[in-house]
């Protein structure tokens, strides 16, 4: 199946379950929009109820909805109308951790979504401050390198793992305390017309696509303090494949679009069309296969790069070279630019 046909099928698969979706207003479940009442259990009850009764949308009207970790279930979409804000709690104990800490989780689910013109606000600077306080008190165990909690300890806005038919459309995601949104080993993911504004703390990747198969990122604006769109391969037995990035604008304090750094499996059939990247001090597009993984069938077309360190940068280290580099034993790495392979000293 061609990439075009595959992605068309993926979009149809995502759209079809929504045709019969029923809307449920948050007020039905006693969910409060005052920005003060903690709604975690009420929102979770609503998600569970909707999933168990044929699916539908949980619709948030104008207001501020305070919550800790919630877990999306099959056939449920969170729909945030314009003026609705899903507000992350500032209390570290209000969050669950399943590999990552997150506001919105989804594990092993199908036909899920986050849509609308509303906002998910992680209030990252403040929740990170409170996590640091708990680390200092000895209540949270953390490596606390460089005087900041590990990325997995700080809440991301959404961690979607091993899910199929995921629809993220229209929403604004802002102020994460870590990576903004992670799609990990998912199939058929459509991300369209979203805004990412995340410069609140460290490691603010705009979108992380990890070992997924069939992802479209279209018509979106990303402004992040780390890589804008980051494709990763965390599992040596997996491949991040069939990904389309089109008609997006990215501002990043690192790379605009990056493959890696985690690249244990590989990257295949990646297409990047008509993307504008500006004000990144690293590269507009970085292809980094540094953990023994591979990169194949990549097309970059109509890339517009303004005020960037490089337009396109490719780095490849053979299997085991990253471990050697991290241990100070690697003497050189390879990178390719314009079809020519160069050798350069490691910058340890």
């Amino acid at each position: 199946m061609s990439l075009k046909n595959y992605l068309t099928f993926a979009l149809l698969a995502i759209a079809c379950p929504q045709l019969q979706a029923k809307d449920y207003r948050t007020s039905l479940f006693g969910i409060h929009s005052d920005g003060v009442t903690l709604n975690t259990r009420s929102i979770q009850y609503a998600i569970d109820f909707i999933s168990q009764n044929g699916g539908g949308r949980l619709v948030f009207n104008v207001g501020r909805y305070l919550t800790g970790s919630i877990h999306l279930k099959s056939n449920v979409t969170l729909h945030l109308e314009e003026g609705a804000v899903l507000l992350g709690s500032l209390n570290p104990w209000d969050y669950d951790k399943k590999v990552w800490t997150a506001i919105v989780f989804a594990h092993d689910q199908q036909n899920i979504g986050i849509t609308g013109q509303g906002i998910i606000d992680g209030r990252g600077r403040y929740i990170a401050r409170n996590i640091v306080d708990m680390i200092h008190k000895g209540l949270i165990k953390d490596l606390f390198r460089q005087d900041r909690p590990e990325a997995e300890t700080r809440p991301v806005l959404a961690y979607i793992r091993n899910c199929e038919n995921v629809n993220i459309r229209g929403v604004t995601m802002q102020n994460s305390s870590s990576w903004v949104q992670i799609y990990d080993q998912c199939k058929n993911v459509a991300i369209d017309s979203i805004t990412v504004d995340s410069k609140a703390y460290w490691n603010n990747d705009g979108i992380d696509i990890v070992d997924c198969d069939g992802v479209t990122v279209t018509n979106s604006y990303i402004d992040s303090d780390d890589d804008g769109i980051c494709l990763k391969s965390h599992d040596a037995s997996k491949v991040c494949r069939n990904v389309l990035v089109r008609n997006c604008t990215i501002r990043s304090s690192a790379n605009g679009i990056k493959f890696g750094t985690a690249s244990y499996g590989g990257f295949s059939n990646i297409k990047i069309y008509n993307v504008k990247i500006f004000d990144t001090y690293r590269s507009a597009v970085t292809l980094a296969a540094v953990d023994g993984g591979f990169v194949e069938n990549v097309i970059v077309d109509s890339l517009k790069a303004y005020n960037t360190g490089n337009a396109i940068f490719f780095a490849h280290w053979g299997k085991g070279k990253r471990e050697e580099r991290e241990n100070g034993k690697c003497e050189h790495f390879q990178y390719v630019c314009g079809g020519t392979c160069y050798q350069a000293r490691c910058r340890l």
Side-chain angles (χ1 to χ4, degrees):
M1 182 183 294
S2 70
L3 178 63
K4 180 179 179 181
N5 290 337
Y6 185 97
L7 295 175
T8 300
F9 173 81
L11 290 172
L12 288 173
I14 292 169
C16 288
Q18 304 302 323
L19 296 178
Q20 303 300 321
K22 180 179 178 180
D23 283 354
Y24 295 84
R25 297 286 172 177
T26 54
S27 57
L28 176 65
F29 301 95
I31 298 169
H32 296 280
S33 60
D34 54 17
V36 176
T37 304
L38 185 65
N39 292 295
T40 310
R41 295 188 66 178
S42 298
I43 295 174
Q44 191 60 59
Y45 181 89
I47 291 170
D48 295 344
F49 178 90
I50 294 169
S51 180
Q52 293 164 8
N53 286 273
R57 301 193 308 175
L58 179 60
V59 180
F60 294 78
N61 298 320
V62 175
R64 294 166 66 82
Y65 299 84
L66 182 65
T67 186
S69 293
I70 54 177
H71 298 258
L72 264 178
K73 300 295 179 64
S74 290
N75 304 314
V76 177
T77 291
L78 303 181
H79 184 76
L80 305 174
E81 294 187 340
E82 186 174 4
V85 181
L86 193 63
L87 203 60
S89 170
L90 299 184
N91 187 340
W93 311 121
D94 289 334
Y95 293 96
D96 300 332
K97 185 173 184 180
K98 299 183 69 172
V99 182
W100 289 85
T101 308
I103 296 176
V104 180
F105 282 103
H107 283 247
D108 307 319
Q109 306 298 314
Q110 296 181 336
N111 308 325
I112 59 173
I114 305 172
T115 63
Q117 299 302 310
I119 296 170
I120 302 179
D121 187 345
R123 300 195 288 180
R125 184 173 294 109
Y126 305 104
I127 181 62
R129 174 200 63 192
N130 293 343
I131 292 170
V132 169
D133 182 51
M134 297 299 174
I135 292 172
H136 284 161
K137 291 176 178 177
L139 299 175
I140 293 178
K141 302 299 181 183
D142 191 271
L143 292 177
F144 202 53
R145 294 179 292 184
Q146 297 176 311
D147 295 322
R148 59 180 185 256
E150 294 294 286
E152 297 88 349
T153 304
R154 295 174 259 131
V156 303
L157 302 191
Y159 178 47
I160 313 297
R161 162 85 178 185
N162 196 33
C163 293
E164 188 170 353
N165 301 337
V166 180
N167 182 27
I168 310 297
R169 186 178 302 273
V171 294
T172 293
M173 298 190 181
Q174 66 185 32
N175 301 325
S176 179
S177 63
S178 186
W179 300 2
V180 177
Q181 51 195 307
I182 306 168
Y183 304 91
D184 189 352
Q185 297 186 17
C186 295
K187 293 182 179 179
N188 302 342
V189 178
I191 302 170
D192 181 65
S193 302
I194 73 166
T195 298
V196 174
D197 182 6
S198 199
K199 304 177 289 293
Y201 204 65
W202 298 91
N203 313 108
N204 278 173
D205 289 357
I207 301 173
D208 286 275
I209 301 167
V210 184
D211 289 320
C212 290
D213 187 354
V215 179
T216 60
V217 183
T218 53
N219 309 311
S220 295
Y221 182 88
I222 299 167
D223 186 354
S224 62
D225 257 357
D226 210 325
D227 302 319
I229 298 175
C230 199
L231 282 63
K232 296 179 182 289
S233 182
H234 285 171
D235 189 331
S237 68
K238 304 292 184 181
V239 178
C240 191
R241 57 165 54 120
N242 299 323
V243 177
L244 171 67
V245 180
R246 189 167 202 156
N247 298 336
C248 294
T249 299
I250 302 170
R251 204 289 318 167
S252 164
S253 296
N255 300 279
I257 300 174
K258 182 183 178 184
F259 293 33
T261 299
S263 50
Y264 294 94
F267 307 92
S268 180
N269 298 333
I270 315 297
K271 300 185 184 300
I272 301 168
Y273 294 137
N274 192 31
V275 173
K276 176 182 176 180
I277 298 171
F278 67 100
D279 291 355
T280 122
Y281 75 92
R282 290 183 181 168
S283 301
V285 177
T286 290
L287 297 89
V290 297
D291 298 302
F294 64 87
V295 178
E296 66 179 19
N297 300 333
V298 177
I299 296 176
V300 181
D301 191 355
S302 302
L303 171 69
K304 304 175 182 68
Y306 303 91
N307 191 26
T308 65
N310 303 285
I312 299 176
F313 178 78
F314 183 87
H316 180 268
W317 303 325
K319 190 173 183 179
K321 285 297 181 184
R322 180 167 186 177
E323 288 78 4
E324 292 180 14
R325 177 179 184 270
E326 290 175 346
N327 293 329
K329 297 178 181 178
C330 179
E331 294 182 356
H332 65 266
F333 64 89
Q334 294 183 337
Y335 66 95
V336 177
C337 184
T340 303
C341 181
Y342 297 90
Q343 301 282 349
R345 293 282 173 187
C346 279
R347 290 163 287 187
L348 297 172

